[in-house]
């Protein structure tokens, strides 16, 4: 199949393009660098010509409330319209476990808007809800750092490796449209503070990680289970302790 991957040069997209190619599919990475801009519509008709599936793993360059909402609304609207015109038979989007529970956050309000557009858009679709990636440990720590202290909620989280996220999205992309949502997660639960503390300690980072139930996560106040998947989630195999030695450099 010809499968167009929007955001195909990014963390998940590049892995997804490689995996689909290894399985014999024509995986086409699409991003502004390749002349495809979902905000303006530039290049969409050309890249979607002959595509059976489009997979959107793109992300907003800004997480400011208005900017991220505009990005997902505009990008998704343009992509759905172009996909319908091109006769695309399956629209796949990557989103986040717990999105519907995190409307206090501007970022997650934008993801909710994206998902609603897809559900109402008329194209057969699948939405993949993934938990947080191991690769974002450094970024989460940085966003919560004050001086030499990292303040994070102790809410439970079930993170996974980006490689496993890409594999899960790939499986959905080559299957029949779900016209619904599937959850994917890692094999283990951690407290969010515990996860970051473990990652920083492994890398010799001297910052102190403090559990603070009032610390916000992308603007949202968390309860204990808000970031966890439901009982029907597909679980990946890679454990954080096995991933860390293979990824010793701080994730960006």
């Amino acid at each position: 199949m010809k499968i167009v991957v929007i955001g195909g040069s990014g963390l998940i997209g590049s892995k997804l393009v490689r995996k689909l190619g290894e399985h014999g599919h024509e995986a086409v990475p699409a991003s502004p660098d390749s002349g495809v801009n979902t905000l303006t519509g530039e290049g969409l008709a050309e890249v979607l010509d002959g595509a059976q599936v489009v997979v959107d793993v793109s992300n907003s360059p800004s997480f400011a409330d208005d900017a991220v909402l505009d990005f997902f609304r505009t990008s998704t609207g343009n992509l759905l319209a172009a996909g319908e015109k091109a006769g695309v038979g399956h629209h796949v989007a990557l989103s986040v476990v717990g999105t519907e529970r995190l409307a206090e956050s501007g970022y997650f309000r934008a993801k909710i808007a994206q998902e609603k557009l897809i559900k109402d858009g008329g194209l057969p679709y699948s939405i993949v809800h993934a938990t947080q990636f191991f690769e974002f440990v450094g970024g989460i720590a940085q966003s919560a750092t004050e001086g030499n202290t990292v303040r994070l909620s102790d809410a439970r989280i079930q993170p996974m490796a980006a490689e496993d996220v890409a594999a899960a999205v790939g499986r959905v992309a080559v299957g029949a449209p779900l016209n619904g949502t599937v959850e994917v997660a890692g094999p283990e639960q951690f407290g969010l503070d515990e996860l970051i503390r473990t990652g920083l300690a492994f890398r010799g980072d001297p910052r102190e990680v403090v559990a603070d139930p009032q610390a916000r996560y992308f603007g949202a106040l968390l309860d204990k289970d808000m970031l966890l998947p439901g009982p029907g989630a597909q679980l990946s195999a890679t454990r954080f302790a096995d991933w860390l030695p293979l990824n010793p450099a701080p994730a960006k």
Side-chain angles (χ1 to χ4, degrees), residues 96-184:
V96 186
V97 163
T99 287
E100 68 283 359
R101 301 187 289 270
L102 294 163
E104 191 179 7
S105 159
Y107 180 82
F108 289 104
R109 287 196 297 274
K111 293 299 287 183
I112 290 168
Q114 177 193 27
E115 292 185 25
K116 186 176 189 307
L117 284 171
I118 293 167
K119 292 172 183 177
D120 295 344
L123 283 179
Y125 73 90
S126 302
I127 296 172
V128 180
H129 273 189
T131 53
Q132 184 59 270
F133 310 158
F134 296 157
E135 282 80 358
F136 289 161
V137 162
I140 293 171
Q142 190 59 39
S143 69
T145 294
E146 301 171 2
N148 198 45
T149 301
V150 182
R151 295 191 177 278
L152 288 164
S153 169
D154 58 354
R156 306 302 290 173
I157 192 167
Q158 199 165 329
M160 61 191 301
E163 193 77 23
D164 293 338
V165 176
V169 174
R171 289 193 298 270
V172 170
V174 301
L178 301 172
N179 292 316
T181 302
V182 62
E183 291 187 323
V184 297

Side-chain angles (χ1 to χ4, degrees), residues 43-242:
L44 277 179
E46 292 79 7
V47 78
L48 293 180
D49 185 35
Q52 287 82 41
V53 183
V54 60
V55 183
D56 185 5
V57 294
S58 63
N59 210 349
S60 174
S62 169
F63 282 13
D65 287 3
D66 291 344
V68 70
L69 181 61
D70 181 66
F71 174 87
F72 281 116
R73 277 182 173 166
T74 303
S75 176
T76 302
N78 286 339
L79 192 53
L80 289 168
E84 184 174 12
K85 191 171 183 179
V88 169
H90 190 186
H91 182 104
V92 181
L94 177 61
S95 193
V96 186
V97 163
T99 287
E100 68 283 359
R101 301 187 289 270
L102 294 163
E104 191 179 7
S105 159
Y107 180 82
F108 289 104
R109 287 196 297 274
K111 293 299 287 183
I112 290 168
Q114 177 193 27
E115 292 185 25
K116 186 176 189 307
L117 284 171
I118 293 167
K119 292 172 183 177
D120 295 344
L123 283 179
Y125 73 90
S126 302
I127 296 172
V128 180
H129 273 189
T131 53
Q132 184 59 270
F133 310 158
F134 296 157
E135 282 80 358
F136 289 161
V137 162
I140 293 171
Q142 190 59 39
S143 69
T145 294
E146 301 171 2
N148 198 45
T149 301
V150 182
R151 295 191 177 278
L152 288 164
S153 169
D154 58 354
R156 306 302 290 173
I157 192 167
Q158 199 165 329
M160 61 191 301
E163 193 77 23
D164 293 338
V165 176
V169 174
R171 289 193 298 270
V172 170
V174 301
L178 301 172
N179 292 316
T181 302
V182 62
E183 291 187 323
V184 297
E188 303 171 291
Q189 290 185 18
F190 301 85
L192 178 59
D193 62 312
E194 175 192 6
L195 175 72
I196 305 307
R197 187 180 298 112
T198 301
L200 294 186
F202 181 86
R203 290 167 175 162
D205 192 308
R207 285 176 288 179
E208 179 187 11
V209 180
V210 175
D212 179 357
Q214 299 304 309
R216 292 180 176 266
Y217 182 74
F218 295 107
L221 196 62
L222 301 178
D223 67 28
K224 284 288 187 182
D225 298 331
M226 194 174 281
L227 300 177
L228 292 179
Q234 299 175 9
L235 303 186
S236 57
T238 307
R239 296 180 179 275
F240 191 46
D242 297 326

